[in-house]
């Protein structure tokens, strides 16, 4: 990676153009837009040629690290390989040109895709039905909680306004609850990160709408008492929500629907290989048990609109382009290969864990599932922190794991290798992690000042937050564009 | 390292109060600024806002954390420390020399419910 | 069994099991109660090769009717320059995640910074986030933001002229969040200022949402709106088509506090409704209430200009239940799409897109009126989309067009028919569609 310093605005020269549009052949109309409805001056957008634009963004891409660049063991994010056929399928011109409001009769292929993907997700998770509308995991959570609330409200059970969330949960869970108008109640974790069932019992009453859980949990450990928990929560009239963030190791092994969960979301960009796209677009379909089907949100591609529906949660029916990629992956997996997906993800995680636990602290020494958490270096005598280890990994060409989450430990390093990484890649990563542990003792200052080989080094985040600069401003550039009114009718 | 000052009143949420007549001058303690790290923003109420003992009146933020500020007393905001708007790091440099808000107390006896220096030091040791 | 995406050979698995201290893959799951293990056959198709997967999707594609689009209603058929698709397909962008490690994510961080700058420029706002899911959810977030900023007020007002899906999504969010929502009436196809005044007078209003271009395609005249809203202590949010903001008065110029909308009009393909990219921008004083990812400029240890995710103390991973939004991610790749599109178009290109669309829409409008089968509903300015009353049976009209390969004359809730023309439509296509309408008995 090499440092490249330009912003597109700095390449702009007045009078350059990067577009190619046909000349207008419309006769002059007698109407025009009144001045009072028009903007005063043209927007100061860049004026660049197409070759300069392509080169600029190619240079930017050279400062980026993706799954295609190298190993990306970011815990809780399931950075598996993104098959290239996914992209070709979603890019087919026929799909790109479909308007979302076209009558159902003109898009039987689209309707079939929604039906086939929903059925496949039901088969994989054991849920009765899915909405494919939610745009992301967090959007899925919110949708799932809306379904939960709507279910209670439609039954006249209006006092259920609290949702139970483990203290080890990702911050999104309580935030989604708050947006949905629910109060969060924390249930304690045991030292191994699993739910303290004794504490849970004290929280259950007729104000509880439900509980949100991941399984395996944030530490990559299976909640072995899940059937008991399901019985308790259902017994008090609540519902169980499954946060699908950690679904990957269960592919081919177990299904949330069989564990007693009533509502769940999946992250198709994680579990089903659609790319993460630098943060999105993803897709967060929500599955429900049979009795909750009427509460699925709008819009629906099945043409039904039951009164109990949870409301409209998206402009149209979700990220169709992403849904196609996920289904392409599911077809490649098929009923045969899916059997190996979860077990190989768990194998990779356990292999790394066992290979490093002598030089990194392992707070819970158990067989893990798809991921596990170290609590920093074993030897902390030189003051090298988890952040330093993460930055040093960048020098060696690896993406850093998730750091400082979960909050159960002070120096968390959360590693999730996924099933698409080879033994050689894992060995290379293990070798570097061990080398960094040695460096931390032998040359701690070098580790503390890492990274050394990246385009930039430890940007000043405090300064960025104290004096936010959130957009490009250059007076010279703006003056060039100021008072320009352009030509043409508008 | 947890510096405290004699003569101040302390809350369990790590605010300090100095009184001048029925005016309460409120800031955060050294313990609080250490826990947060480099501060990047102080969210303050507006002058004339009402604050209530035990309830939020603002927040302090660092890059990786945010903590709500809880008012130790009830009353009306007389003044806010506008220097903190551009320089929140003042609270890191000296949290006792830089107050956050001044409140006209409606019930000065609320001060009696706060800790003195010795009690606060003992409290912090348990935290 | 082997599979192209799983690199493990039987020998690899044996070596790794030994290191992991278990005797079989099965044993990795020994903690899962036997009753919870899935032992049945998955009800999935047999694994397919790439060629078979292609055949499945090609069959889907063939079964859909190919139509020339003369409809908008929230999704617009604008042209995507080839270079845009080329750039966003680069795997360094495509296969990265949220730029947590700034040192190896400067590409993503820089284009988001450019995106934020361009959205500010188009909307006349001071700061923008790194994008939202889509337009309707960005409108809902704008309203949550106004309620959070007001601290105590729990009521919002939304215009009846907003696109139906925007109204519906805002209503959904508001109802669960415990916000009272009232709908502002309209007069002659424009949001009614007197209706707004009357609702504001009832008090407790945190935010007001109105469209820049509305559900009838009309360019709204928002004169006096900002004053009315601000004098009641509320915030004004304008829902805009960002492409149109190359020529139309910006939310900033109307005096709005928040701008939201869908970036789809900036060259993102229709793709049956997604992925698109919502945008959300605001005045400086609301910066710390803006939800979602935000990128800021700073310098690194060596003094180099660098970009980082910033103002994170607003976000769910720090604020948990106190965050104003649960948004974790953005539509990053679609933000890149929009950024490259705007770089190529520049101010002149974007204006020309509007010129072409305006010209085509007015040509179609005049030709339809000339058939004698349509009438104007409103006498107001429009850009690329308009509604008409018709003497034809609307079902027959739409079906006749579909049969001839056109998607147009979308029936609205009010019983009008809606048309839209973008720069992608040619005069020949318009003439051909009008010929079809001419022939309807």
């Amino acid at each position: 990676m090499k440092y490249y310093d330009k912003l597109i605005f700095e390449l702009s020269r007045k009078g350059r153009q990067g577009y190619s549009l046909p000349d207008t052949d419309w006769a002059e109309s007698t109407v025009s837009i009144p001045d009072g409805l028009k903007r005063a001056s043209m927007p100061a957008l860049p004026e660049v040629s197409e070759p300069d634009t392509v080169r600029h963004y190619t240079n930017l891409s050279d400062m980026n690290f993706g799954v295609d660049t190298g190993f990306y063991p970011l815990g809780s994010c399931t950075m598996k390989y993104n098959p290239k056929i996914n992209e070709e399928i979603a890019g087919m011109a026929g799909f790109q040109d479909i308007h979302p409001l076209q009558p159902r009769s003109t898009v039987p292929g689209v309707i079939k895709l929604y039906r086939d993907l929903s059925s496949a997700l039901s088969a994989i998770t054991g849920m009765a039905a899915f909405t494919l509308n939610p745009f992301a995991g967090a959007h899925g959570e919110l949708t799932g909680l809306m379904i939960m609330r709507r279910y209670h409200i439609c039954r006249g059970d209006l006092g259920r306004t609290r949702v139970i969330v483990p203290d080890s949960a990702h911050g999104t869970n309580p935030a989604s609850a708050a947006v949905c108008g629910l109060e969060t109640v924390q249930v304690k974790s045991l030292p191994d990160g699993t739910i303290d069932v004794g504490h849970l019992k004290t929280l259950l009453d007729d104000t509880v709408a439900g509980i949100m859980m991941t399984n395996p949990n944030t530490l990559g450990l299976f909640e072995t008492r899940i059937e008991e928990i399901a019985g308790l929560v259902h017994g008090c009239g609540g519902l169980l929500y499954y946060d699908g963030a950690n679904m990957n190791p269960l592919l081919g092994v177990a299904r949330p629907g069989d564990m007693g969960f009533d509502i769940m979301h999946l992250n198709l960009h994680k579990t089903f290989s659609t790319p993460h796209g630098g943060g999105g677009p993803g897709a967060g379909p929500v599955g429900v048990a049979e009795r909750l089907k009427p509460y699925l949100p709008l819009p629906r591609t099945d043409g039904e609109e039951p009164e109990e529906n949870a409301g409209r949660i998206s402009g149209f029916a979700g990220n169709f382009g992403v849904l196609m990629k996920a289904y392409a992956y599911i077809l490649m997996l098929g009923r045969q290969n899916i059997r190996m997906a979860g077990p190989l993800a768990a194998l990779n995680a356990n292999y790394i864990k066992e290979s490093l636990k002598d030089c990194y602290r392992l707070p819970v020494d158990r067989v893990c599932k798809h991921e596990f958490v170290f609590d920093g270096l074993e030897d902390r005598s030189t003051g090298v922190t988890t952040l330093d280890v993460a930055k040093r990994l960048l020098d060696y060409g690896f993406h850093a794991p998730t750091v400082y989450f979960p909050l159960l430990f002070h120096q968390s390093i959360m590693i999730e290798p996924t099933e698409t990484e080879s033994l050689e890649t894992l060995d290379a990563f293990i070798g570097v992690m061990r080398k960094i542990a040695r460096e931390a003792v032998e040359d701690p200052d070098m580790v503390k000042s890492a990274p050394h080989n990246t385009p930039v080094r430890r940007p000043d985040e405090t300064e960025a937050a104290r004096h936010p600069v959130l957009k490009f401003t250059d007076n010279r550039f703006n003056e060039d564009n100021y008072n320009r009114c352009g030509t043409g009718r508008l | 390292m947890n510096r405290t000052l004699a003569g101040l009143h302390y809350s369990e949420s790590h605010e300090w109060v100095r009184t001048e007549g029925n005016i309460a001058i409120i800031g955060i303690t050294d313990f609080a600024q250490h826990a947060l790290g480099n501060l990047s923003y102080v969210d303050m109420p507006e002058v004339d806002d009402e604050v209530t003992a035990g309830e939020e009146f603002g927040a302090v933020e660092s890059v990786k954390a945010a903590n709500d500020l809880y008012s130790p007393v009830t009353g009306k905001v007389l003044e806010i420390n506008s220097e903190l708007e551009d320089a929140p790091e003042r609270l890191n440099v000296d949290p006792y020399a830089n107050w956050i808000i001044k409140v006209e107390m409606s019930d000065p006896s609320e001060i009696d419910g706060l800790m003195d220096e010795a009690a606060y030091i003992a409290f912090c040791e348990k935290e | 069994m082997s599979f192209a995406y799983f690199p493990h050979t039987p020998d690899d698995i044996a070596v790794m099991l030994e290191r992991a201290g278990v005797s079989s893959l099965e044993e990795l799951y020994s903690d899962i109660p036997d009753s919870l293990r899935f032992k049945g056959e998955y009800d999935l198709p047999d694994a397919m090769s790439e060629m078979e997967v292609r055949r499945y999707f090609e069959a889907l594609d063939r079964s859909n009717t190919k139509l020339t689009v003369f409809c908008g209603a929230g999704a617009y058929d604008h042209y995507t320059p080839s270079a845009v698709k080329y750039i966003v397909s680069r795997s360094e962008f495509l296969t990265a995640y949220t730029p947590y490690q700034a040192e190896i994510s400067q590409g993503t961080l820089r284009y988001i910074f450019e995106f934020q700058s361009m959205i500010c420029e188009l909307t006349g706002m001071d700061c923008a986030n790194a994008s939202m899911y889509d337009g309707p959810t960005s409108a809902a977030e704008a309203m949550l933001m106004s309620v959070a900023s007001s601290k105590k007020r729990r009521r919002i007002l939304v215009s009846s002229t907003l696109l139906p899906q925007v109204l519906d999504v805002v209503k959904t969010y508001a109802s669960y969040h415990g916000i009272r929502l009232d709908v502002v009436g309209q007069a002659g196809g424009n949001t009614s200022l007197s209706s707004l005044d009357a609702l504001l007078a009832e008090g407790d209003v945190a935010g007001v949402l109105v469209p820049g271009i509305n559900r009838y395609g009309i360019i709204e005249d928002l004169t006096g709106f900002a004053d009315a809203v601000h004098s009641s202590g509320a915030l004004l949010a304008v829902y805009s088509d960002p492409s149109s903001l190359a020529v139309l008065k910006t939310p900033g110029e109307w005096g709005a506090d928040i701008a939201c909308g869908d970036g789809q009009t900036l060259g993102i393909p229709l793709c049956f409704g997604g992925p698109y990219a919502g945008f959300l921008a605001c005045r400086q004083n609301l910066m710390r209430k803006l939800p979602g990812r935000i990128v800021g400029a700073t310098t690194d240890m060596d003094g180099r200009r660098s970009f980082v995710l910033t103002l994170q103390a607003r976000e769910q991973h720090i604020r948990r239940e106190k965050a104003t939004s649960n948004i974790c991610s953005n539509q990053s790749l679609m933000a890149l799409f929009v950024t490259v599109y705007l770089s190529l178009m520049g101010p002149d290109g974007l204006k020309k897109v509007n010129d072409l669309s305006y010209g085509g829409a007015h040509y179609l409008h005049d030709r339809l009126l000339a058939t004698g089968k349509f009438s104007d509903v409103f006498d107001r300015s429009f850009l690329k989309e308009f509604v008409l009353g018709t003497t034809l049976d609307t079902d027959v009209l739409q079906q006749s067009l579909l049969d001839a390969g056109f998607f147009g004359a979308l029936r609205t809730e009010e019983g009008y028919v809606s048309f839209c023309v973008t720069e992608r439509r040619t005069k020949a296509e318009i003439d051909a569609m009008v010929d079809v309408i001419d022939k309807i008995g």
Side-chain angles (χ1 to χ4, degrees):
Chain A
M1 288 186 195
K2 69 171 191 290
Y3 184 66
Y4 165 78
D5 188 39
K6 293 281 189 262
L7 290 168
I8 191 76
F9 302 97
E10 292 158 352
L11 302 176
S12 179
R13 294 295 177 272
K14 194 176 165 188
R16 280 207 186 121
Q17 78 174 55
Y19 65 90
S20 142
L21 289 166
D23 285 328
T24 171
D25 53 1
W26 313 116
E28 281 296 325
S29 169
T30 52
V31 290
S32 68
I33 296 174
D35 282 345
L37 299 178
K38 292 199 269 188
R39 69 183 284 160
S41 62
M42 293 185 82
L45 296 169
E47 295 178 71
V48 279
S49 69
E50 180 175 320
D52 285 344
T53 304
V54 169
R55 197 168 283 161
H56 172 72
Y57 289 103
T58 303
N59 281 322
L60 288 192
S61 77
D62 194 36
M63 292 195 289
N64 246 26
F65 187 104
V67 172
D68 285 4
T69 318
F71 186 43
Y72 211 128
L74 195 64
S76 181
C77 298
T78 316
M79 302 300 290
K80 64 174 73 175
Y81 174 69
N82 310 122
K84 301 311 157 199
I85 180 135
N86 294 355
E87 299 305 314
E88 284 201 23
I89 295 294
M92 285 166 63
F95 297 126
Q96 301 272 304
D97 286 342
I98 301 171
H99 194 282
L101 297 175
Q102 275 180 227
R104 285 167 53 84
S105 62
T106 66
V107 287
V110 173
I111 305 296
K112 179 171 163 55
L113 185 277
Y114 275 82
R115 207 169 46 232
D116 288 357
L117 176 55
S118 296
S119 307
L121 297 181
S122 288
I124 292 166
T125 60
M127 307 307 285
F130 271 84
T131 171
L132 304 181
N133 295 359
F135 291 119
H139 199 220
E141 269 179 29
L142 179 58
T143 303
L145 291 172
M146 287 173 173
I147 291 169
M148 186 186 280
R149 272 201 80 186
R150 184 82 183 137
Y151 165 78
H152 292 307
I153 289 169
C154 286
R155 287 158 46 95
D157 201 351
L158 303 178
R160 294 189 182 269
T161 53
R162 304 196 307 157
V163 64
I164 298 172
V165 175
D167 56 10
S168 62
H170 196 273
T172 321
N173 289 174
S176 297
V179 172
C180 195
L182 292 163
E183 183 195 341
T184 299
V185 186
Q186 285 202 350
V187 58
K188 288 182 194 149
S189 302
L190 297 170
D192 67 358
T194 58
I195 285 180
D196 181 341
V197 178
H199 184 232
L200 175 65
K201 284 179 186 165
T202 67
L203 300 175
L204 294 174
D205 59 28
D206 61 4
T207 65
V208 171
I211 185 170
M212 300 179 85
M213 292 175 64
T214 53
N215 194 16
N217 67 14
T218 301
L219 296 185
L221 305 176
F222 194 84
E223 295 277 359
T224 51
R225 295 173 75 179
I226 180 60
E227 284 175 297
E228 186 186 353
I229 292 170
L232 289 168
V233 174
H234 285 148
C236 92
L239 297 177
L240 276 84
Y241 184 89
Y242 181 89
D243 175 343
N246 297 346
M247 179 68 200
N248 205 44
L250 298 190
L251 288 182
V253 177
R255 311 191 305 173
D258 301 335
M259 299 174 198
F261 285 99
D262 305 288
I263 309 171
M264 71 173 291
H265 82 265
L266 285 165
N267 298 290
L268 298 187
H269 43 288
K270 297 180 182 177
T271 319
F272 297 99
S273 88
T274 79
H276 284 70
V286 169
V288 294
E290 187 67 36
R291 71 184 188 288
L292 296 175
K293 276 163 83 169
Y295 304 93
L296 289 172
L298 304 181
R300 293 202 181 180
T301 51
D302 60 7
E304 290 177 35
E305 213 167 286
E307 241 176 71
E308 298 92 330
N309 79 77
R312 188 174 191 133
I313 52 120
S314 54
F316 304 108
N319 284 336
F320 176 62
V322 177
L323 302 177
M324 284 190 284
K325 297 179 194 185
Y327 197 58
Y329 180 70
I330 288 172
L331 289 176
M332 296 287 291
L333 275 180
R335 73 173 83 206
Q336 295 86 2
N337 296 315
I338 195 170
R339 284 284 182 194
M340 291 300 279
L344 291 178
L347 179 64
N348 279 3
N350 280 285
Y351 180 75
I352 296 178
K353 173 171 66 69
E354 292 302 314
S355 303
L356 289 175
K357 71 178 185 183
D358 59 327
C359 32
Y360 293 85
R361 282 188 202 176
L362 183 63
V364 184
D365 193 356
R366 247 171 74 177
V367 169
C368 67
K369 295 295 169 279
H370 62 307
E371 68 188 359
F372 62 92
V373 179
F374 285 131
D375 185 13
L377 284 159
E378 187 59 48
D379 182 345
R380 299 181 186 177
S381 58
T382 57
V384 170
T385 64
T386 282
L387 181 71
D388 302 326
V389 173
K391 294 304 179 194
R392 185 66 181 142
L393 269 171
L394 309 182
D395 279 335
Y396 288 107
F398 292 104
H399 197 282
T402 294
V403 292
Y404 300 107
F405 183 82
L407 308 174
L408 296 169
F409 315 111
H410 290 298
Q411 293 289 323
S412 290
I413 304 177
M414 189 187 208
I415 297 175
E416 179 180 12
T418 86
E419 68 278 16
T420 62
E421 299 300 333
S422 68
L423 178 57
E424 290 77 9
T425 301
L426 303 186
D427 281 339
F429 175 73
I430 290 162
V432 163
M433 285 290 280
R434 301 188 69 86
K435 189 171 177 199
I436 294 172
R438 279 197 307 278
E439 288 175 348
V441 176
E442 292 161 5
D443 192 356
D445 289 343
M446 187 271 294
V447 181
K448 287 178 191 175
S449 57
H452 301 278
N453 305 324
T454 49
V456 299
R457 303 173 56 223
R458 298 204 192 197
D460 187 344
E461 295 185 335
T462 302
E463 180 56 25
R466 277 184 186 159
H467 302 112
V469 177
L470 309 182
K471 64 173 182 175
F472 176 80
T473 44
D474 180 299
N475 291 335
R476 236 171 347 114
F477 175 78
N478 283 334
E479 276 164 22
D480 268 359
N481 286 274
Y482 192 67
N483 284 336
R484 289 185 56 214
C485 291
T487 54
R489 181 181 293 114
L490 295 181
Chain B
M1 189 50 211
N2 175 24
R3 205 161 57 85
T4 52
L5 288 190
L8 300 185
H9 309 275
Y10 297 88
S11 71
E12 292 191 357
S13 46
H14 304 285
E15 287 86 14
W16 58 259
V17 182
R18 190 172 75 232
T19 53
E20 287 176 3
N22 71 336
I23 294 170
I25 301 165
I26 301 168
I28 59 167
T29 66
D30 198 40
F31 183 95
Q33 73 82 15
H34 265 299
L36 283 157
N38 288 336
L39 290 175
S40 56
Y41 180 61
V42 185
D43 186 14
M44 291 178 283
E46 285 171 23
V47 171
D48 287 344
D49 279 2
E50 300 286 340
V51 296
T52 307
E55 291 188 8
E56 288 171 41
F57 73 84
V60 279
E61 300 178 358
S62 66
V63 169
K64 303 283 184 203
N67 263 36
D68 288 322
L69 296 167
Y70 294 91
S71 182
V73 296
T74 304
K76 193 171 79 171
V77 178
L78 286 180
E79 203 179 335
I80 60 168
N81 185 355
S82 52
E83 283 181 341
L84 298 176
E85 285 169 2
D86 282 329
E89 60 271 25
R90 284 167 171 272
L91 293 179
N92 291 120
V93 176
D94 189 344
Y96 298 108
N98 293 279
W99 52 277
I100 298 175
I101 56 170
K102 293 186 181 177
V103 174
E104 182 178 28
M105 291 183 279
S106 54
D107 179 9
S109 72
E110 283 172 344
I111 292 290
D112 301 338
L114 300 172
M115 291 175 274
D116 64 10
E117 186 187 16
Y120 181 64
I121 291 170
F123 175 79
C124 289
E125 273 164 16
K126 277 184 282 175
E127 278 278 278
Chain C
M1 185 185 70
S2 61
F3 181 50
Y5 314 141
F6 299 164
H8 304 68
T9 67
D11 287 349
D12 294 342
I13 292 175
V15 167
M16 294 169 76
L17 285 172
E18 195 185 344
R19 177 81 58 84
V22 292
S23 57
S24 66
L25 289 173
E26 188 67 19
E27 205 184 322
L28 293 169
Y29 292 92
S30 56
D31 53 346
I32 300 187
D34 194 57
S35 58
L36 297 183
R37 293 293 304 272
F38 182 65
K39 302 203 183 74
E41 185 76 22
Y42 278 101
D43 185 14
L44 293 173
D46 283 323
M48 290 186 189
S49 66
E50 276 200 10
M51 283 182 278
E52 291 164 306
V53 171
R54 272 177 204 282
R55 263 179 233 133
Y56 168 88
F57 281 97
E58 282 160 5
L60 289 191
D61 181 37
R62 276 194 305 276
S63 72
N64 296 326
T65 312
K66 303 286 176 287
L67 298 170
T68 304
V69 175
F70 278 101
C71 259
Y76 300 86
D77 190 20
H78 287 290
Y79 178 71
T80 312
S82 301
V84 179
K85 290 183 181 173
Y86 167 80
I87 294 290
V88 299
S89 68
R90 288 192 66 90
S91 71
E92 297 88 341
F93 292 132
L94 186 69
T95 69
Y97 193 33
T98 301
Y100 296 121
Q101 295 293 334
E103 287 89 345
I104 53 171
S105 309
Q106 286 295 301
T108 300
L109 290 161
R110 275 186 187 242
Y111 77 65
I112 291 176
F113 185 81
E114 293 175 349
F115 171 82
Q116 291 172 183
S117 306
M118 290 177 184
I119 293 297
C120 288
E121 193 53 41
L122 284 174
T123 58
M125 290 287 133
D126 300 318
C127 33
N129 73 9
S131 74
M132 312 295 287
Y133 304 134
D134 71 349
T137 56
S138 79
E141 294 282 352
M143 290 294 93
L144 292 183
M145 187 179 159
S146 68
V147 170
S149 307
S150 80
K151 289 182 180 161
K152 292 192 180 116
R153 300 180 178 206
R154 302 292 295 175
R155 185 168 168 238
I156 57 171
L157 306 179
V158 294
S159 171
S160 56
T161 65
L162 285 158
L163 287 163
Q165 63 268 31
V166 175
L167 266 179
D168 286 349
V169 171
V170 174
K171 281 179 183 171
T172 301
Y173 275 66
S175 74
Y176 289 101
H177 200 59
I179 302 170
R180 184 176 150 202
L181 177 150
D182 288 302
V183 177
V184 184
Q186 53 183 296
N190 200 88
T191 308
S192 161
L193 185 55
S194 56
S195 169
L196 174 65
D197 280 332
L199 289 166
L200 284 170
E202 292 170 27
D204 200 32
V205 176
V208 176
L209 181 69
V210 296
I213 296 183
N214 69 24
R215 59 161 67 189
Y216 311 119
I218 290 168
I219 304 164
E220 291 237 352
D221 185 345
L222 301 176
T223 306
F225 279 56
D227 287 344
V229 171
H230 291 154
S231 62
S232 79
L235 299 176
L236 177 65
V238 176
Y239 187 91
S240 299
D241 166 353
S243 174
S244 77
L245 294 179
V247 291
L248 299 185
K249 202 169 228 180
T250 65
E253 287 172 320
W254 285 121
D257 306 281
I258 304 171
C260 56
D262 206 316
Q264 187 273 332
T265 54
L266 299 171
I268 297 179
L270 293 169
C271 199
F272 196 64
Y276 295 167
F279 66 87
L280 189 59
C282 65
R283 301 274 186 200
Q284 188 70 28
N285 60 331
L286 294 171
M287 174 179 71
R288 288 174 198 269
K289 298 290 178 194
L290 189 61
R293 299 294 191 200
I294 297 177
V295 169
T298 186
T299 50
D300 80 343
M301 290 166 75
D302 303 319
R304 284 179 157 175
R305 178 164 64 171
S306 314
F307 297 86
V308 293
L309 291 174
T310 193
L311 303 181
Q312 296 191 66
R314 303 162 294 116
E315 292 188 68
Q316 43 72 34
H317 62 281
I318 290 177
R319 298 295 275 178
R320 299 177 78 89
E321 67 272 15
K322 286 185 174 161
T324 35
S325 167
N326 70 329
I327 291 267
C328 307
S329 56
N330 65 334
Q331 297 280 97
S332 197
L333 202 69
M334 307 322 289
L336 173 63
F337 203 108
V338 163
T339 306
V340 181
Y341 176 84
L342 287 172
S343 300
L344 291 168
M345 302 310 287
D348 293 317
L350 199 58
K351 181 168 184 305
K352 188 160 183 185
V353 165
N354 281 281
D355 271 330
L356 291 168
S357 305
Y358 178 95
H362 285 78
Y363 175 74
L364 173 62
H365 174 260
D366 294 350
R367 284 222 52 192
L368 288 172
L369 287 183
T371 63
K373 295 170 178 174
F374 297 91
S375 56
D376 266 325
V377 181
F378 304 110
D379 180 24
R380 285 190 173 271
S381 295
F382 63 90
L383 187 63
K384 63 190 169 200
E385 192 172 17
F386 57 90
V387 295
L388 296 174
T390 181
T391 55
L392 296 169
D393 179 302
T394 51
D395 290 338
V396 171
L397 170 60
Q398 188 180 67
Q399 193 55 49
S400 305
L401 292 180
L402 290 174
D403 292 343
F406 297 104
F407 177 45
L410 185 71
R411 191 187 147 90
T412 70
E413 286 171 12
E414 300 84 351
Y416 314 135
V417 287
S418 161
F419 290 91
C420 178
V421 181
T422 64
E423 80 284 6
R424 277 190 79 182
R425 298 288 76 84
T426 64
K427 186 160 179 292
E429 288 171 339
I430 293 176
D431 290 338
M433 183 173 73
V434 176
D435 283 349
V436 173
I437 293 173
D438 261 333
K439 294 197 181 86
I440 299 173

